[in-house]
Amino acid sequence: MTRRAAALGTALVVVGGMLTACGGGDSTVSGVPDSETLAPPPGGAATSQARVPASEDSGRFTEAPAPVDSDSPGYTAPVVGARERGYLAALEAQDIETTELSDSLVAAGNTICRIRTTGGAAGETTTIADAVAGQISVGDYSDRDVDEISRIVVDAAAGQLCP
């Protein structure tokens, strides 16, 4: 049972991080720009603020945030309505246990739909589906191989959750 709980915790962290990374539409690019000034934000004016050289550490964002427990104040699980129940039932029909992973599976399925409807790259949906499929496999929630589980997750999301 501890193995499943650990797999569930890991899946929640992975999906939560992916959901955070996919939100808002204002992404950044890593790397070192040629200029010592920051590029202007979309639709904004240029700034004269000098950027911190790559050799200096600003001290910000040095470690990943800790996982959030489901009983923590402010935690809200994904809403499970008729579409989400249909999605989970479609996964169950493919011999994937969903009971303990329902929050993670619903969050991943909704993220896959959001990527598909906003014109995201197929590789983005594959990354999310592969992460969830790995957690399903490691947690012994299915006897299928990871690639097959990943395909099932994407197909079920497309068929049940996506508009």
Side-chain angles (χ1 to χ4, degrees):
M1 188 66 172
T2 16
R3 189 170 167 199
R4 285 187 174 194
L8 175 61
T10 303
L12 287 173
V13 170
V14 169
V15 172
M18 289 178 181
L19 285 172
T20 301
C22 292
D26 59 327
S27 60
T28 59
V29 177
S30 61
V32 180
D34 295 333
S35 170
E36 285 299 312
T37 60
L38 298 174
T47 179
S48 61
Q49 179 181 6
R51 66 175 208 88
V52 176
S55 61
E56 294 180 27
D57 181 9
S58 67
R60 298 183 311 164
F61 312 112
T62 56
E63 53 186 68
V68 176
D69 292 326
S70 61
D71 61 348
S72 294
Y75 172 81
T76 55
V79 176
V80 179
R83 281 185 175 181
E84 289 79 9
R85 284 191 299 276
Y87 166 67
L88 294 171
L91 294 174
E92 288 279 347
Q94 294 291 325
D95 298 321
I96 297 173
E97 296 176 36
T98 64
T99 306
E100 292 182 37
L101 294 176
S102 62
D103 287 353
S104 297
L105 291 169
V106 168
N110 285 331
T111 301
I112 289 168
C113 288
R114 186 172 27 259
I115 291 168
R116 290 172 63 111
T117 58
T118 59
E124 293 175 24
T125 59
T126 302
T127 300
I128 292 168
D130 286 351
V132 172
Q135 295 308 313
I136 292 169
S137 180
V138 167
D140 292 326
Y141 297 104
S142 178
D143 292 330
R144 297 177 183 269
D145 77 342
V146 175
D147 291 335
E148 188 175 4
I149 296 170
S150 180
R151 181 191 49 76
I152 291 169
V153 167
V154 171
D155 290 348
Q160 299 293 325
L161 293 174
C162 300

